[in-house]
Amino acid sequence: EDVADAGAGLDAGDFCVFHTGADESGPAARDEQVNQAVCRHKLVRALPRGVRHQIHEGFRQADGAPGEGVQIRVRGVNSLSAGSDPLYVVDGYPASEDVYINPGDIESIDILKDAASAAIYGSRGASGVVLITTKRGKEGERAKISYDFSYGIQQLERKVDLLDANQFRDLYIASRNDSYRRKATAAGIAWSPNDDNTIRSAKGFSLADVGIHPMFYDFTTRTPVEQQYNTDWQDEVFGSNPVAKYVDLSVNGGTEKAKYKLSFIHQDQPSVMVGNGLKQNNMNASFNFKPFKFLTLEYRTRLLHKEVDGSGTEGVSLLTALREKPTKGLDEYMKLPEDDTYFDPDQLEEETLFDPKEESKRNYKKRINKSLNTMGAVTWDIMKGMTFRSEFGFENNSEEQRRFWGMETSK
């Protein structure tokens, strides 16, 4: 008996026809394999260019933070109020928007779009459907244990080119001297870049506008002061090169009556940004049992435990880090010189000191995700061409967020 697949996303004359109840070892089976191969080829050709090859242009990571998922746009952004995420179907069962699957457990990914998705999944498939098929044990495969371990060093791809301490010092001195020149010229007063702060103040100019701090220039020797600190605050925010670790342990095998696959994945991915990182554990189990020729039992389950630390750029302001002076350091921010005649108590301004490590601690965030997904099915071959199948599924997701806002935070 022929069954037309309306989910191929093709024209009316290009439906994919699959044969049911055929002998798996006969010529019909070979024809079936050829037919499915042609159908898949047509399906890929039917997809727009941006969807081919794992929907190249519509597939991106939503955020660079550890633990952030990917964002898939099969049909683009088609709504201003509703979401544009496609419907994810894992092993025939619709899943939630957050799909936690180890990439190593994925056998294939197929895409349905346009009328094809609506024909099967209704309005839920309005933004497209992503069909994910996971790996499972194969008949005749001996029990096999696989272990995969990998690690890598993470680093910032590139930094913003900023002034170093001496460049900042020279720019500061030039700026103050230029301000002094303009004010003196406008007032008709003689001036010299070698005039110290006492002379500049005696001429009636505010040192807040024209004064040069002794930590930058020595008027006695008329030479710039070599800076004690040369801090690139990007190195303090992204200073570490953390080691990411990945462990994958799996057991799979199968006989004529039973097929199974068990896997456990552990992922530890610290972030290059201070105070951020991800730890995740996945456990997947798949069983297929055929006690009689006419009866098949299937069971699959997925467990997830994920912990994401840090609040990203919300906890540490990158813009603040880029604005900080390179002449400051972490261990000593300000030291009054022995000669304090430059300082006028009435002109002192409050200054907020910056430490990215303390910024991260003051804005603490920890997110814990737990997920359980269970699917099962019973298939009864009543007679040739007639099959009864009953399926069930259960999904439970929970998320816990722990937050702490310290002093001088936005909350």
Side-chain angles (χ1 to χ4, degrees), residues 180-194:
Y180 179 42
R181 176 189 61 80
R182 289 186 288 104
K183 290 180 178 294
T185 302
I189 302 176
W191 73 280
S192 170
N194 295 323

Side-chain angles (χ1 to χ4, degrees), residues 186-246:
I189 302 176
W191 73 280
S192 170
N194 295 323
D195 292 344
D196 60 21
N197 291 319
T198 303
I199 296 177
R200 300 184 185 201
S201 178
K203 291 182 178 181
F205 300 116
S206 171
L207 294 182
D209 298 326
V210 303
I212 300 178
H213 200 289
M215 69 177 294
F216 296 115
Y217 192 80
D218 186 351
F219 285 101
T220 303
T221 61
R222 295 183 178 181
T223 57
V225 177
E226 190 68 23
Q227 296 303 295
Q228 179 182 1
Y229 299 102
N230 185 21
T231 305
D232 187 341
W233 292 99
Q234 295 175 96
D235 291 337
E236 301 299 332
V237 176
F238 302 107
S240 61
N241 293 320
V243 177
K245 296 180 287 292
Y246 176 85

Side-chain angles (χ1 to χ4, degrees), residues 241-274:
N241 293 320
V243 177
K245 296 180 287 292
Y246 176 85
V247 178
D248 185 351
L249 176 64
S250 64
V251 180
N252 62 283
T255 63
E256 183 180 356
K257 290 190 174 183
K259 296 183 283 288
Y260 60 91
K261 178 178 174 60
L262 304 172
S263 65
F264 172 78
I265 301 95
H266 171 73
Q267 181 181 1
D268 187 357
Q269 182 188 353
S271 173
V272 294
M273 177 176 283
V274 59

Side-chain angles (χ1 to χ4, degrees), residues 28-283:
R30 291 192 294 270
D31 294 341
E32 168 69 0
Q33 294 173 1
V34 173
N35 181 59
Q36 292 192 27
V38 173
C39 177
R40 283 191 291 269
H41 175 70
K42 289 182 178 180
L43 174 59
V44 174
R45 291 290 301 274
L47 296 177
R49 183 176 301 175
V51 178
R52 300 178 192 174
H53 305 296
Q54 301 297 323
I55 50 178
H56 177 65
E57 294 298 331
F59 185 89
R60 68 181 182 88
Q61 189 167 1
D63 195 325
E68 289 298 321
V70 296
Q71 185 180 84
I72 296 179
R73 291 290 180 263
V74 176
R75 302 183 62 189
V77 179
N78 52 22
S79 176
L80 296 177
S81 57
S84 299
D85 292 325
L87 173 67
Y88 296 94
V89 179
V90 182
D91 293 328
Y93 298 90
S96 62
E97 294 182 0
D98 296 325
V99 182
Y100 303 104
I101 300 179
N102 173 35
D105 285 336
I106 296 178
E107 181 76 27
S108 65
I109 298 179
D110 297 303
I111 308 297
L112 299 182
K113 57 178 284 290
D114 297 335
S117 56
I120 300 177
Y121 299 100
S123 60
R124 293 184 300 172
S127 297
V129 180
V130 178
L131 303 176
I132 301 175
T133 303
T134 59
K135 296 179 181 178
R136 61 195 69 182
K138 299 180 180 179
E139 182 177 341
E141 185 178 42
R142 298 180 59 183
K144 180 173 64 175
I145 300 177
S146 302
Y147 176 77
D148 180 23
F149 172 77
S150 61
Y151 70 93
I153 298 176
Q154 303 182 114
Q155 63 180 15
L156 190 65
E157 181 180 2
R158 61 181 179 272
K159 298 189 301 182
V160 179
D161 189 17
L162 302 175
L163 299 176
D164 62 23
N166 289 332
Q167 290 172 333
F168 175 83
R169 173 205 63 196
D170 296 340
L171 183 63
Y172 169 83
I173 295 174
S175 174
R176 289 305 178 97
N177 282 333
D178 183 65
S179 177
Y180 179 42
R181 176 189 61 80
R182 289 186 288 104
K183 290 180 178 294
T185 302
I189 302 176
W191 73 280
S192 170
N194 295 323
D195 292 344
D196 60 21
N197 291 319
T198 303
I199 296 177
R200 300 184 185 201
S201 178
K203 291 182 178 181
F205 300 116
S206 171
L207 294 182
D209 298 326
V210 303
I212 300 178
H213 200 289
M215 69 177 294
F216 296 115
Y217 192 80
D218 186 351
F219 285 101
T220 303
T221 61
R222 295 183 178 181
T223 57
V225 177
E226 190 68 23
Q227 296 303 295
Q228 179 182 1
Y229 299 102
N230 185 21
T231 305
D232 187 341
W233 292 99
Q234 295 175 96
D235 291 337
E236 301 299 332
V237 176
F238 302 107
S240 61
N241 293 320
V243 177
K245 296 180 287 292
Y246 176 85
V247 178
D248 185 351
L249 176 64
S250 64
V251 180
N252 62 283
T255 63
E256 183 180 356
K257 290 190 174 183
K259 296 183 283 288
Y260 60 91
K261 178 178 174 60
L262 304 172
S263 65
F264 172 78
I265 301 95
H266 171 73
Q267 181 181 1
D268 187 357
Q269 182 188 353
S271 173
V272 294
M273 177 176 283
V274 59
N276 291 260
L278 161 73
K279 289 184 178 180
Q280 179 172 312
N281 293 314
N282 292 72
M283 188 177 71

